[in-house]
Amino acid sequence: MDDKRKQDGRDDAKVDLNDPNEVSYAAQQANVSTEKYKQYAKAAGTSNREKILQYIKSNHR
C-alpha cells in the first residue's frame, strides 16, 4: 500500500496502467483516447509518462 507521507516524485514519472483515473489523465495530457494510450504504452514497453509521450510523438503524429 502506498505510504502517502513519502512523496519523492517517483510515482509521478510513471502511469499505473491498471488505474483508470491515471490512464485517463495521462491520455488527456497526451491528447489521445485512453484505449490508444494503453496501446501506445504497451508498444513503447514502458509505463514511464515521458517515454510514452516520446513514443507517441515519434511514431504516431
Side-chain angles (χ1 to χ4, degrees):
M1 182 168 222
D2 281 341
D3 185 349
K4 300 298 180 188
R5 295 171 292 165
K6 294 181 183 178
Q7 296 194 0
D8 59 7
R10 283 184 283 172
D11 283 344
D12 292 341
K14 295 188 177 187
V15 178
D16 180 354
L17 297 171
N18 295 313
D19 183 340
N21 292 324
E22 277 196 46
V23 174
S24 177
Y25 180 74
Q28 193 174 30
Q29 295 296 309
N31 202 27
V32 296
S33 70
T34 55
E35 197 56 42
K36 280 284 188 190
Y37 192 87
K38 284 183 176 182
Q39 291 172 3
Y40 292 147
K42 185 176 182 177
T46 185
S47 63
N48 181 287
R49 290 178 192 270
E50 190 59 38
K51 289 183 181 180
I52 295 168
L53 282 174
Q54 288 173 357
Y55 179 84
I56 293 170
K57 288 178 183 177
S58 65
N59 295 298
H60 299 284
R61 291 282 170 153

